[in-house]
Every structure is written in C-alpha cells, then in structure tokens.
Amino acid sequence: MINTAFPLLLMEDQVFGRALLFLSSIIFAYYTAWLLFTPFVEDHHFLLHLFPERRYAYLLPVFAGATLFCVTVGHIGYVLLAAGLTKPPEIAKKTQ
C-alpha cells in the first residue's frame, strides 16, 4: 500500500521553506537598506522614520554573535559534563 500522505507532507515542507526564504530575504533587504543607505539620507527625511537608530544596526549582529557563542560554549560544556570528561587524565606519580 502506498502512503498517499507523503506528497502532501512534502508539499507542506516546500511551502514552509519558500515562506522562510521569502521572510529571510525581506529581513536581509531591510537590514541592508538600514545599514547601507540611511547614512546617506538627510536627517529630516521621512524615510528615516521607517528605521530605528543606526547604532542598533551595529549592536544587533554583535548581540546575536555573542548569544550564539554563549549557546555553543554552553552546549559543549553540557556535553562534556554529561560524558564525564571534566577531569584531566591522571598523571602517573613518580615514586621516589
């Protein structure tokens, strides 16, 4: 018997993937415009009201990178603790 639900699930995954691609493209275009084009717009122009302050354009990737680093180091630490590899190997003591 052939599973007829599989093509429907595959279709849902494709729709979900296309939606994520579209959303990430919109976010990338907005961020690029925010970072690259707003320095050349006059201070009193109405387009500047569509974007937050420019300093947040620099703080956002720094915060995201720091968060990613902390999560990665925390995960590695958790795996090491779970595996019991927190202690260095014993060094043979020389008897005199």
Side-chain angles (χ1 to χ4, degrees), residues 23-59:
L23 180 66
S24 62
S25 298
I26 295 296
I27 291 171
F28 179 75
Y30 179 81
Y31 181 76
T32 302
W34 180 23
L35 188 63
L36 296 179
F37 301 136
T38 57
F40 302 109
V41 177
E42 295 178 5
D43 290 336
H44 60 276
H45 200 273
F46 75 95
L47 284 177
L48 285 181
H49 297 293
L50 299 175
F51 301 100
E53 292 183 29
R54 201 172 304 128
R55 66 184 169 121
Y56 295 122
Y58 304 113
L59 290 176

Side-chain angles (χ1 to χ4, degrees), residues 8-9 11 49 52 65 83-84 91 93:
L8 293 176
L9 292 176
M11 241 354 196
H49 297 293
I91 298 175
K93 295 181 182 178

